[in-house]
Amino acid sequence: MVEALSVSGQEVVEYGDVLELNRFDGLPYSSRYYTLLKERMDLPVWKAKCDFMDKLANRQFIIVSGTARTGRSSQIPQWCAEFCLAVQYQNGMVVCTQVHRQHTVDLALRVADEMDVNIGHEVGYSIPLETCCSGDTVLRYCTDDMLLREMMSDPMLEHYGVIVIDQAHERTVSTDVLLGLLKDITLQRPELRVVLLTATHPGPKLLGHYKNVPLIQLEGVCSAEVVYTGTSHKDYFCSALRLVLEIHHSQEEGDIVVFLATTQEIDLARDILLREEANIPTHLGELLPISVHPGLGGTLPMPGEEEGRCRRVFLTSSPNEDLFWAVHMLNFVIDAGVQKRNVYNPRIRANSVAIQPISRIQAESRKQLVGPTGKSFCLYPEDTPLPSETRPHILESDITSTVLFLKRMDIGGLGRCDFIDRPDPEGLMQALEELDYLAALDDDGNLSEIGIIMSEFPLEPQMAKTLLASCEFDCVNEVVTIAAMLTAPSCFLVPSRELRLEASQCHLKFQHPEGDHFTLINIYKKWCQDYFLSLSALQTADAIRSELTDILRRIELPVSMPSFGSKGNTLNIKRALLAGFFMQVARDVDSSGNYFMLTHKHVAQIHPFSAYGTKTPKLGLPEWVLFHQYSFSEDNCIRTVSHISPEEFIQMAPQYFFFNLPPSESKDILQNILDNGAEHYKAKKLQKSPSLESIPEVTASCVIQ
């Protein structure tokens, strides 16, 4: 028996009695392979296979545009693997980058199933803290930041014959750096092929960056019915939840995805829908709200796993448009039309949060998530002016880590990065200044020995310097725990309102009198569910801690024995923290919690979740603190705060950094300690009540001296 499937002039033959062998592993194809092959051939991307394979053979760069539903992310990497197989992998294997961890894993699992091979063998994936690959891997999915880190040991990416950059329209910092470096790499490797995948037609900047690059536009699925509700900007949250309940009461079949703006809105919407679900008549079926936070992954179903009389409501936010490619029962999209963006201000070294309209690319991607029988509800007027493209993250982010990486690439032989959008000059200067303060640069502006070692760690530069300093102060065991806990997602769960007092009382059991950094060590050493702490966050922190310890041992740096709790160890941890975070020191100028930041003269309060934010009489408020994070516009708070002394700050801060601090009473106090010693400062402090740095009355917003 022979069955023939014909698609776009190509004939794929399935032999009923003759075993056809898989070219990738040499084993006979299973019956499931042919079932999935029929589904694959129905995808819009299959109509472009001949054109794509021809261009891949003859051109170095190719751009393919099409939404997630076209099959671009699953099919094109497989065709690239076929292209490499045809030349016996002479130029290397295939790697395909993704923006999201969860999307990376989901795609690798799906593609391994479609290729009829085992995950971790011919098809694998690499995400932070998890690698599932082997020497047999010919197609690897990975996050864009993982491929960047790989370039530190393989600058020319010589392991790869084809590099697929998916979700290029997201314009993440890592993707933009990859696009810039690949332009230089292809000049030195003419056999290398680069494929860029975007959701919609690429903008003029991307097309202009690679001159005369061929563009393949995929036909999308038939558009769904689009309903513009004209909701005002302030009312989209309530309107979205009302729509969810109306759809459920209408008994129209299908799951719902709701795009909101913030993580807080996602959690609040889930709580409200769970309460409303208790009042829904049983004949309407179950309503199941599912939070899908951006960057944290989730448990989205694979095709074929969507059974039962239950309507799922996926609550998410940008940039998760591509995460729902596997949800076949998705029939409704509710789009608030806004997103939360963190915009970095290099002058005050802090992020401000802005709620902005989504781009037209994002809006179109969301509409395409449902098929022709579905509905897309846009909670904004049809004539709302949306930006044509997503604003590049490299223009709004702290690029200190990026500059450190690019300095490392200079050593690897890549002299320049041809950015599509060049970083802001002020942000670039601040990044270079910060690296100089951290002793990561030498007198010529190149990486110093310390800078080279810092670049080995998957940490922000300040934390990497702190970890290196802990080797000198014999407190590596404790500081590596702090680094892991601060790099992982927050371990503090946000309970429902009625449980928040109980959660605060539980958290008190972990609080350390020296501050939040020490509290994190306490949490890591103790446990979890009964104290409203996140098990997954602590497991992630444990994996990060193991990875950092392995790096320390690989580069032959000492790892100290545990000694947390001793007086000497506490002092050494503070010294190590100050070695990296001396730019993030503040002083309580009026003994009531108004902290003046020495670097940029803003005043902020300690976050309520801090050990000091609860203002318990037992702990009190320290005069001088080191903080890990400052949020400017959301709540004007400093987070993860620990007590330090001015003498410790003077000892650890570089002298030229201290002299460059703007004038203030706090700087005068430090200068007085330098000139006359700590005892003189303490005696003078007893005679003088604290002032407020000669600044106006402090309000909830930032105050500048």
Side-chain angles (χ1 to χ4, degrees):
M1 179 185 71
V2 179
E3 292 183 16
L5 304 175
S6 179
V7 177
S8 300
Q10 300 178 69
E11 190 172 70
V12 180
V13 180
E14 176 185 341
Y15 296 91
D17 300 320
V18 180
L19 292 177
E20 187 180 4
L21 299 182
N22 190 329
R23 291 177 295 166
F24 290 101
D25 63 7
L27 299 175
Y29 284 121
S30 68
S31 59
R32 178 166 173 76
Y33 168 79
Y34 295 103
T35 301
L36 293 176
L37 183 59
K38 292 177 183 178
E39 294 179 9
R40 293 165 60 195
M41 288 179 166
D42 290 333
L43 293 170
V45 70
W46 267 78
K47 297 177 182 177
K49 182 175 182 180
C50 286
D51 187 22
F52 174 79
M53 296 301 284
D54 180 62
K55 287 182 169 60
L56 187 65
N58 297 292
R59 302 296 293 268
Q60 202 165 15
F61 281 94
I62 307 170
I63 298 178
V64 181
S65 68
T67 62
R69 289 283 185 179
T70 61
R72 67 163 204 266
S73 301
S74 59
Q75 304 310 302
I76 285 178
Q78 293 185 57
W79 300 341
C80 293
E82 293 174 12
F83 172 79
C84 291
L85 174 63
V87 294
Q88 298 300 306
Y89 307 109
Q90 292 177 11
N91 302 319
M93 54 180 275
V94 181
V95 65
C96 178
T97 68
Q98 299 293 320
V99 173
H100 307 286
R101 295 166 52 118
Q102 186 63 38
H103 197 205
T104 304
V105 177
D106 290 345
L107 276 169
L109 291 169
R110 174 66 179 182
V111 168
D113 196 21
E114 290 182 352
M115 291 175 65
D116 209 20
V117 296
N118 292 321
I119 189 69
H121 291 271
E122 289 75 18
V123 175
Y125 63 86
S126 297
I127 60 175
L129 308 176
E130 185 179 350
T131 297
C132 183
C133 295
S134 70
D136 297 327
T137 301
V138 298
L139 170 55
R140 183 168 69 95
Y141 283 87
C142 70
T143 51
D144 49 7
D145 57 327
M146 289 293 287
L147 187 59
L148 273 186
R149 290 206 63 80
E150 191 174 331
M151 290 182 72
M152 292 200 300
S153 57
D154 181 16
M156 293 295 135
L157 294 172
E158 293 176 354
H159 284 97
Y160 305 109
V162 181
I163 298 172
V164 183
I165 307 294
D166 198 0
Q167 300 173 294
H169 57 278
E170 295 281 3
R171 300 296 303 276
T172 65
V173 174
S174 294
T175 292
D176 268 20
V177 173
L178 276 172
L179 293 176
L181 292 175
L182 283 171
K183 193 173 181 181
D184 193 19
I185 291 172
T186 51
L187 295 176
Q188 303 179 53
R189 289 191 59 200
E191 78 284 358
L192 178 65
R193 299 293 185 262
V194 178
V195 181
L196 308 183
L197 306 182
T198 66
T200 59
H201 190 285
K205 283 186 178 179
L206 187 59
L207 288 173
H209 190 65
Y210 304 101
K211 293 180 173 56
N212 301 318
V213 60
L215 171 65
I216 299 174
Q217 289 187 271
L218 305 178
E219 296 179 13
V221 294
C222 297
S223 298
E225 178 186 351
V226 180
V227 179
Y228 290 92
T229 65
T231 306
S232 72
H233 173 70
K234 296 180 180 179
D235 297 334
Y236 67 82
F237 180 79
C238 294
S239 298
L241 297 188
R242 277 197 297 268
L243 259 175
V244 168
L245 296 174
E246 287 173 11
I247 290 170
H248 192 61
H249 280 85
S250 73
Q251 295 186 278
E252 293 183 66
E253 291 187 357
D255 295 328
I256 306 170
V257 61
V258 183
F259 286 96
L260 300 169
T262 68
T263 296
Q264 292 82 1
E265 288 176 354
I266 292 172
D267 291 333
L268 180 59
R270 180 178 178 274
D271 291 343
I272 292 173
L273 290 177
L274 282 174
R275 286 199 297 268
E276 291 293 327
E277 203 275 333
N279 302 320
I280 293 175
T282 54
H283 73 275
L284 294 178
E286 183 183 358
L287 186 69
L288 179 63
I290 301 171
S291 299
V292 186
H293 293 291
L296 299 182
T299 52
L300 295 181
M302 295 296 289
E305 298 179 5
E306 303 162 347
E307 300 176 357
R309 184 179 169 80
C310 171
R311 188 195 302 276
R312 293 164 303 180
V313 182
F314 298 102
L315 303 163
T316 190
S317 62
S318 181
N320 271 4
E321 287 81 11
D322 278 2
L323 277 185
F324 300 94
W325 61 275
V327 187
H328 285 183
M329 292 296 293
L330 196 62
N331 218 30
F332 301 96
V333 169
I334 300 174
D335 181 10
V338 291
Q339 61 181 333
K340 172 183 171 181
R341 299 276 290 195
N342 289 311
V343 181
Y344 183 72
N345 186 334
R347 295 183 181 180
I348 61 173
R349 289 183 168 89
N351 284 315
S352 58
V353 176
I355 303 297
Q356 301 174 348
I358 60 173
S359 67
R360 288 204 295 269
I361 290 177
Q362 291 169 291
E364 190 61 32
S365 296
R366 295 176 180 186
K367 293 171 188 173
Q368 291 286 339
L369 286 175
V370 294
T373 60
K375 289 183 182 178
S376 178
F377 297 92
C378 300
L379 305 184
Y380 49 88
E382 187 172 1
D383 58 357
T384 301
L386 300 177
S388 59
E389 296 181 357
T390 303
R391 183 167 170 79
H393 288 264
I394 203 162
L395 302 180
E396 300 179 340
S397 303
D398 179 4
I399 58 171
T400 309
S401 296
T402 303
V403 173
L404 180 65
F405 168 78
L406 291 175
K407 289 287 184 182
R408 176 66 181 262
M409 285 296 97
D410 261 341
I411 299 172
L414 291 175
R416 60 192 295 269
C417 181
D418 190 0
F419 288 106
I420 299 175
D421 288 274
R422 296 196 66 78
D424 174 54
E426 187 176 14
L428 185 59
M429 289 302 298
Q430 182 260 319
L432 289 168
E433 180 186 58
E434 186 166 310
L435 291 175
D436 189 40
Y437 284 147
L438 293 169
L441 304 179
D442 60 21
D443 293 339
D444 297 323
N446 301 315
L447 275 194
S448 64
E449 290 185 13
I450 290 176
I452 293 172
I453 299 173
M454 285 169 57
S455 68
E456 288 287 329
F457 295 97
L459 299 170
E460 60 186 57
Q462 288 173 281
M463 185 55 75
K465 179 63 181 295
T466 294
L467 191 54
L468 287 184
S470 71
C471 298
E472 178 184 351
F473 296 117
D474 197 33
C475 56
V476 173
N477 192 280
E478 290 75 27
V479 170
V480 78
T481 299
I482 293 173
M485 292 290 282
L486 289 173
T487 304
S490 173
C491 64
F492 293 101
L493 296 177
V494 180
S496 57
R497 187 167 299 174
E498 57 270 17
L499 292 175
R500 284 180 185 171
L501 179 60
E502 182 184 348
S504 297
Q505 294 300 316
C506 290
H507 293 163
L508 280 173
K509 298 176 182 179
F510 296 104
Q511 288 180 3
H512 193 285
E514 294 295 337
D516 298 334
H517 295 85
F518 298 83
T519 297
L520 292 175
I521 302 176
N522 270 343
I523 289 171
Y524 183 82
K525 292 178 178 292
K526 298 182 183 179
W527 278 96
C528 212
Q529 183 176 357
D530 294 339
Y531 297 100
F532 297 92
L533 302 172
S534 168
L535 175 60
S536 62
L538 288 175
Q539 288 172 332
T540 301
D542 187 56
I544 294 171
R545 190 181 189 281
S546 297
E547 181 183 8
L548 296 177
T549 304
D550 289 343
I551 293 173
L552 286 164
R553 292 193 172 113
R554 175 169 57 81
I555 56 181
E556 299 182 358
L557 291 173
V559 178
S560 61
M561 295 297 292
S563 57
F564 183 61
S566 66
K567 186 175 181 180
N569 179 256
T570 298
L571 178 60
N572 285 337
I573 293 172
K574 291 183 181 181
R575 286 172 174 166
L577 288 168
L578 278 165
F581 292 91
F582 54 84
M583 288 173 273
Q584 292 173 207
V585 168
R587 171 177 166 256
D588 185 357
V589 290
D590 62 353
S591 299
S592 65
N594 292 307
Y595 280 88
F596 174 87
M597 284 165 274
L598 274 63
T599 308
H600 47 72
K601 303 174 72 170
H602 281 241
V603 171
Q605 291 73 44
I606 294 177
H607 194 274
F609 282 1
S610 166
Y612 299 120
T614 55
K615 297 185 180 180
T616 57
K618 178 182 176 183
L619 289 174
L621 290 173
E623 182 181 8
W624 295 84
V625 297
L626 173 146
F627 59 92
H628 182 71
Q629 187 181 20
Y630 167 49
S631 53
F632 174 52
S633 59
E634 274 190 297
D635 45 28
N636 193 47
C637 285
I638 52 178
R639 299 167 184 253
T640 315
V641 174
S642 288
H643 171 238
I644 61 165
S645 70
E647 296 81 17
E648 291 161 353
F649 171 74
I650 291 170
Q651 178 190 6
M652 297 307 304
Q655 193 173 49
Y656 56 94
F657 167 77
F658 174 72
F659 289 139
N660 286 337
L661 286 174
S664 67
E665 182 183 356
S666 297
K667 183 179 179 181
D668 292 342
I669 290 171
L670 294 169
Q671 186 64 54
N672 189 38
I673 294 174
L674 271 174
D675 296 339
N676 302 299
E679 294 304 321
H680 178 79
Y681 163 66
K682 291 175 182 175
K684 190 173 181 180
K685 184 181 173 186
L686 291 174
Q687 302 169 5
K688 179 182 175 183
S689 59
S691 69
L692 192 52
E693 299 276 356
S694 306
I695 56 178
E697 182 181 353
V698 175
T699 63
S701 59
C702 253
V703 178
I704 300 180
Q705 183 174 334

